[in-house]
Amino acid sequence: MKSFTIYQDGDHRWVAFGQDPDKPEEIIDTNQFVVTSSDTGCLLDPGGAELFPDMVAALSREISVDTIQHLFLTHQDPDVSSAITLWDEVCADGMKIYISWMWKGFVKHFDNAARFVDVPDEGMDLNLGGGVTLRAMPAHYLHSPGNFSVYDPKAKILFTGDIGAALVPESEQGDIFVQNFDHHIQFMEPFHKRWMVSARARDAWVAMVRNLDVNILAPQHGLLFKGDDVQRFLDWFGNLEVGNGLSAYQQYT
Amino acid sequence: MAETTRVSGAGTHGRIDSRRIQHAAGELFTECLNVFNAFSNLNELSEDLRVLSLNAELAAGRAGDSGRAVRALTQYTRELVNRLNQARESIIKLNSETHRRNAAVLRDLHALRTLERTHRACEREEDCRETEEALNKAHERRRQEMADYVVALTTDLQNLSALNSTVAEVIAQSDSIATNMAVEAALAGSHEAEFRTVAETMRGYVEDLRNMVDSAAVPMKKAEERSRTLINLAGSGTRGQGTSHGEGGGKEEN
Ligand SMILES: [Fe+2]
Ligand SMILES: [Fe+2]
């Protein structure tokens, strides 16, 4: 699994992990993130159980797993949460696992002993120390009904989970950032049309993000958006017709 | 060898052979299910016995003085039926516990295999010592948890064996009640035929119960053998008794 340092200011770092050449073919490619500040690490959507061995190995190149004190799950999907039992076992004692209040009882099916922090609908702050605070912000219904984006105002990075996700063929991978936005649309459009549920939620989220100072928009699948591509993404997503799975009802109505 | 990894840590970790453990756990589980299946008619047989004792009591009432001894026997039969029902309830509980613990062993095995894969992935990295230590600790905790579940499974099996003995005792007592009933029938004059039918019906039920216990005996014995194998493979050390492998004659050197 490759790792990319996408931000560094002293011990305040964002590292993205992904584009794993050893990943089993049928498993969807994911990006995992770790944010560090003053010897404290926070994992964001650390990936499913199948990727756990390679992810731990890649992570250990960057930091020791026992400095991970926080693990944030944007939502409940298995590509996000299915390895929490294992993470809980290898990370720092007392590590906190954050997830929307509405998913806790479901994700506990993986590990009833895990300690979860309920994230309320309006979001919450996670203080990593060293003046770095991550802010969980609502992203409900995009696609999960209990879903969050995570904003780091100091690094100006917004981790968006499945929003901005793209299924990028291996031949197109290499850099972690989108190089040509228009060319990239083909890899994210089908995903957003189908997985994203609600135009109202999308409009609310886009309006919220436009009020933030974002230099990097980092999704959980595919490539990251940087600089002007962040605005390009918001413009594109803001005008997209979402929820196209509804057409499946037509034959029955 | 693919499934067998030395998780070295601080010298306290041995190998776990997850493939053999999974196989042994599967065999133990299968034999336990065979025992539970053997007992699947227990409810029906104890209900038959209860109904028979009620009918016999009515017949004894109709027989007046000459039915007094039979009435005493039917009351004793009902006590035996109660014991059978208690045994049945305990078997049902053990059945669900066995399923739960078997699932826990499989879950732990899966986690152990993933931790071992992770360890191998980390070994390819430089400067991974702290992570390897964390992995070793996690591995040891999991291995211990699995060993505890295996010990609990074995205790369940011992309890099941004790219940089998209880049922066998009830059968022996029911058999002697049936014999006494036949003796009383011979002395019951005009009620002889009625009481003899009760005694013969009861013998039939006793025979069915005996067949049930016999059919449980073979898988029970196999399950006991399998549980010993499993304990040896999984490391039988329970919490507080140290965690070194080899307790119970482990196969860690394979
Ligand atoms: Fe998702
Ligand atoms: Fe996802």
Side-chain angles (χ1 to χ4, degrees):
Chain A
M1 187 177 295
K2 296 182 194 167
S3 58
F4 307 83
T5 298
I6 59 169
Y7 174 86
Q8 176 145 25
D9 179 15
D11 61 6
H12 179 199
R13 272 208 309 161
W14 276 71
V15 184
F17 301 87
Q19 301 186 358
D20 184 1
D22 301 324
K23 176 187 71 61
E25 201 177 323
E26 289 186 351
I27 288 179
I28 191 167
D29 195 29
T30 50
N31 300 322
Q32 291 70 237
F33 293 86
V34 68
V35 189
T36 64
S37 177
S38 65
D39 284 340
T40 298
C42 176
L43 281 170
L44 303 174
D45 286 2
E50 276 296 322
L51 294 189
F52 178 82
D54 288 334
M55 178 57 196
V56 171
L59 181 67
S60 66
R61 271 182 243 141
E62 307 296 334
I63 57 162
S64 171
V65 286
D66 57 11
T67 62
I68 304 288
Q69 312 249 13
H70 307 272
L71 189 161
F72 192 93
L73 304 172
T74 56
H75 64 300
Q76 82 291 357
D77 271 351
D79 62 328
V80 169
S81 65
S82 64
I84 52 161
T85 308
L86 296 160
W87 285 111
D88 199 23
E89 286 187 57
V90 302
C91 291
D93 287 344
M95 177 184 71
K96 289 177 180 156
I97 303 176
Y98 302 79
I99 191 163
S100 161
W101 63 271
M102 65 183 287
W103 291 124
K104 183 168 80 174
F106 294 80
V107 175
K108 268 194 170 268
H109 277 276
F110 287 126
D111 183 9
N112 189 34
R115 294 162 304 280
F116 288 95
V117 177
D118 286 350
V119 183
D121 279 346
E122 60 273 23
M124 64 184 289
D125 283 353
L126 278 77
N127 189 350
L128 299 194
V132 174
T133 298
L134 299 180
R135 190 177 305 156
M137 304 183 77
H140 311 312
Y141 305 107
L142 301 167
H143 63 91
S144 165
N147 189 42
F148 292 93
S149 299
V150 179
Y151 180 54
D152 180 342
K154 212 170 166 198
K156 299 181 183 175
I157 297 174
L158 181 69
F159 173 59
T160 52
D162 281 334
I163 305 170
L167 307 178
V168 181
E170 229 177 286
S171 57
E172 299 274 344
Q173 293 176 357
D175 201 331
I176 188 77
F177 290 104
V178 170
Q179 298 300 314
N180 179 333
F181 186 85
D182 290 338
H183 178 69
H184 186 66
I185 286 174
Q186 63 187 305
F187 306 127
M188 56 180 180
E189 189 168 87
F191 181 88
H192 285 77
K193 282 183 166 175
R194 181 67 176 86
W195 261 262
M196 297 302 147
V197 184
S198 157
R200 275 174 64 198
R202 182 269 320 275
D203 292 346
W205 185 86
V206 168
M208 178 186 78
V209 175
R210 285 197 196 282
N211 285 330
L212 304 174
D213 186 2
V214 179
N215 187 33
I216 293 174
L217 190 148
Q220 190 224 354
H221 307 274
L223 305 178
L224 282 53
F225 305 86
K226 192 175 188 179
D228 291 343
D229 280 342
V230 174
Q231 291 309 315
R232 284 192 191 102
F233 174 76
L234 294 176
D235 293 343
W236 171 81
F237 186 40
N239 287 304
L240 192 71
E241 203 169 312
V242 295
N244 73 356
L246 289 171
S247 62
Y249 291 104
Q250 280 168 6
Q251 61 183 309
Y252 301 108
T253 51
Chain B
M1 192 59 203
E3 301 284 338
T4 307
T5 307
R6 183 160 190 85
V7 182
S8 53
T12 57
H13 299 273
R15 297 170 182 213
I16 75 136
D17 188 336
S18 57
R19 196 201 307 262
R20 287 183 64 194
I21 292 173
Q22 184 158 352
H23 184 69
E27 285 194 324
L28 171 61
F29 187 57
T30 302
E31 296 306 340
C32 287
L33 291 187
N34 288 340
V35 176
F36 292 124
N37 282 341
F39 283 117
S40 60
N41 285 337
L42 185 55
N43 187 31
E44 202 179 309
L45 284 170
S46 82
E47 182 59 11
D48 285 346
L49 206 52
R50 188 184 69 83
V51 172
L52 180 69
S53 76
L54 284 177
N55 287 337
E57 193 170 14
L58 289 174
R62 285 195 297 273
D65 274 355
S66 50
R68 190 173 295 154
V70 169
R71 190 156 52 242
L73 289 171
T74 58
Q75 281 162 4
Y76 192 31
T77 306
R78 280 227 285 289
E79 282 170 29
L80 294 180
V81 167
N82 284 341
R83 284 184 73 191
L84 281 183
N85 285 341
Q86 282 166 8
R88 186 181 61 87
E89 276 172 24
S90 301
I91 289 169
I92 289 170
K93 268 190 205 146
L94 281 177
N95 189 345
S96 68
E97 267 188 12
T98 301
H99 276 84
R100 192 173 61 79
R101 286 177 170 145
N102 182 62
V105 168
L106 294 182
R107 190 190 61 210
D108 282 343
L109 270 178
H110 185 256
L112 284 166
R113 271 201 292 265
T114 307
L115 288 169
E116 291 178 4
R117 268 173 57 205
T118 310
H119 200 278
R120 285 197 291 276
C122 281
E123 278 173 345
R124 293 193 286 270
E125 304 292 335
E126 289 171 16
D127 217 15
C128 201
R129 195 177 50 79
E130 282 166 351
T131 299
E132 282 181 32
E133 271 172 26
L135 286 168
N136 285 338
K137 274 189 202 156
H139 186 278
E140 181 53 19
R141 275 197 300 268
R142 271 290 172 155
R143 194 204 61 76
Q144 188 60 54
E145 180 183 292
M146 184 185 67
D148 288 350
Y149 279 121
V150 166
V151 169
L153 268 176
T154 308
T155 308
D156 285 349
L157 194 59
Q158 285 162 357
N159 291 337
L160 189 58
S161 179
L163 286 167
N164 199 28
S165 304
T166 302
V167 175
E169 254 171 50
V170 169
I171 292 168
Q173 286 159 344
S174 303
D175 198 17
S176 77
I177 289 175
T179 303
N180 286 333
M181 194 84 81
V183 170
E184 291 302 328
L187 303 171
S190 62
H191 295 280
E192 178 182 353
E194 208 171 359
F195 292 154
R196 192 172 296 287
T197 305
V198 171
E200 279 165 13
T201 309
M202 192 156 173
R203 278 233 172 83
Y205 292 158
V206 165
E207 202 48 40
D208 289 345
L209 281 164
R210 194 169 277 143
N211 287 340
M212 188 184 71
V213 168
D214 286 349
S215 64
V218 175
M220 181 79 74
K221 196 162 180 292
K222 283 188 187 167
E224 282 162 359
E225 284 165 17
R226 306 284 188 266
S227 79
R228 279 194 290 276
T229 308
L230 187 56
I231 276 200
N232 288 346
L233 287 169
S236 61
T238 50
R239 284 173 214 281
Q241 289 188 334
T243 55
S244 67
H245 282 210
E247 287 176 58
K251 306 280 191 200
E252 295 77 27
E253 299 314 313
N254 287 342

